[in-house]
Amino acid sequence: MSALEVGTELPPVETGPITRAMLALFAGASGDHNPIHIDTDVARAAGFDDVFAHGMVAMGHLGRVLVAWFPQERLRGLGGRFRRITPVHARPRCHGRVEEIVEVDGERRARLALWVTIDDGDPVITGSAEVALD
Amino acid sequence: MIDRSVIGREAVSEVVTLERSRLRLFARLLGHPPDGVHRDVAAARAAGHPDLVVPPTYLAGLETETEAIYRTLEDVGVDLSAVLNGEQHFTYHHPLHAGDEIVFTTRVTDVYARGEGRLEFLVRESAVTRAGELVAQLRNTIVVVREVAA
């Protein structure tokens, strides 16, 4: 952890492909029951070709990768913007880089830039996190 | 345009219990390791936690499940199929574990438009409390996609 400095890139992590079964289970597990993610009829009626992942699937992967990089009790904040939808079969890849080291409330924290890409390399999420260092 | 009078609207949820089996499924779907603190009670206890650790993004879906957002959208006349998730942010104050009982107090904090009104944004902030103590804060932005007249 002490080896972290501004510009340090965290090792990217690729997740398995988004599947329809996973989205159906995620709706129930997460509490986001919006049918646009699980019912093709609803997705088509709303003008989409197919169902697509909840934004919180890709952000959830980012959260999981983040707490593999750092102990969760050091996590002070996490967030991001959803840039576009994550289609079925996409494989989200989570990336992070240390942007700055700051002192907040008497503790040293790393501010991280985070982003999730899918197969074409473009981000579906751009975000950030704040992690206590000591 | 969404009526800005919705700003300030507040909803307080029922008490929500963080359930082990649901946390396990959530953590499994997102690839948390099977023998880790998010899925294995023994591993969580060995690491000093009272029970399974709640994954960092879990609270967002639970807030959605309180249905405060659906009531708000209905009140402002927006169809659910016209909305997308725009942003989600978390601030963490205290760790949460399976078995904890929490309450969401969610307030609409902003409404604004972009792209000549084609996109509207509804911002909500939630305080998450456990026995009255603030444990986390959420900020969510919903994007409303309006039909463009031909």
Side-chain angles (χ1 to χ4, degrees):
Chain A
M1 215 70 56
S2 55
L4 278 188
E5 47 189 62
V6 172
T8 301
E9 295 246 357
L10 298 157
V13 178
E14 180 171 300
T15 71
I18 304 288
T19 66
R20 295 166 209 284
M22 189 259 190
L23 295 182
L25 293 171
F26 188 82
S30 71
D32 182 343
H33 305 156
N34 188 339
I36 209 162
H37 302 296
I38 48 180
D39 185 330
T40 316
D41 297 335
V42 172
R44 288 190 180 142
F48 295 92
D49 294 334
D50 198 352
V51 296
F52 54 95
H54 309 74
M56 291 311 296
V57 170
M59 194 177 283
H61 279 294
L62 197 53
R64 183 259 298 178
V65 169
L66 195 58
V67 299
W69 284 329
F70 303 94
Q72 189 169 333
E73 48 273 25
R74 291 171 179 264
L75 190 57
R76 300 290 181 261
L78 165 63
R81 239 179 103 188
F82 303 101
R83 317 288 308 213
R84 60 196 180 114
I85 64 167
T86 303
V88 173
H89 306 311
R91 293 172 179 271
R93 266 184 298 274
C94 301
H95 309 260
R97 183 178 56 236
V98 179
E99 291 293 278
E100 53 178 343
I101 310 277
V102 293
E103 190 161 323
V104 184
D105 298 339
E107 65 181 9
R108 268 185 351 115
R109 295 183 185 176
R111 286 204 177 127
L112 311 172
L114 302 171
W115 64 105
V116 181
T117 57
I118 52 174
D119 307 70
D120 60 10
D122 280 344
V124 290
I125 295 177
T126 51
S128 61
E130 213 167 273
V131 179
L133 293 175
D134 38 40
Chain B
M1 177 71 195
I2 296 172
D3 192 332
R4 286 178 58 85
S5 69
V6 75
I7 295 172
R9 181 199 168 111
E10 188 174 277
V12 182
S13 77
E14 302 280 307
V15 174
V16 179
T17 303
L18 302 173
E19 295 169 24
R20 254 192 207 168
S21 58
R22 233 177 108 173
L23 285 163
R24 267 203 202 97
L25 175 59
F26 183 88
R28 173 166 76 75
L29 293 169
L30 294 177
H32 286 274
D35 55 356
V37 297
H38 302 90
R39 293 174 61 183
D40 182 335
V41 176
R45 293 202 168 134
H49 301 286
D51 210 307
L52 295 179
V53 175
V54 174
T57 61
Y58 186 68
L59 295 174
L62 277 193
E63 194 284 320
T64 305
E65 200 177 40
T66 70
E67 300 192 348
I69 181 59
Y70 301 131
R71 292 191 296 273
T72 299
L73 290 175
E74 196 173 322
D75 286 355
V76 299
V78 171
D79 179 8
L80 180 63
S81 68
V83 308
L84 293 169
N85 204 346
E87 287 188 37
Q88 180 68 51
H89 299 268
F90 303 86
T91 304
Y92 307 104
H93 301 293
H94 294 287
L96 284 167
H97 301 97
D100 283 350
E101 297 188 327
I102 58 174
V103 172
F104 294 92
T105 302
T106 299
R107 175 188 285 269
V108 177
T109 55
D110 201 6
V111 172
Y112 59 93
R114 290 281 184 275
E116 294 166 345
R118 203 178 69 80
L119 298 175
E120 289 186 71
F121 298 80
L122 180 76
V123 185
R124 302 174 314 127
E125 295 184 11
S126 304
V128 185
T129 53
R130 178 183 53 196
E133 181 185 36
L134 183 68
V135 289
Q137 289 163 283
L138 314 182
R139 191 172 84 248
N140 172 251
T141 304
I142 293 283
V143 185
V144 181
V145 184
R146 298 292 192 184
E147 293 290 330
V148 186

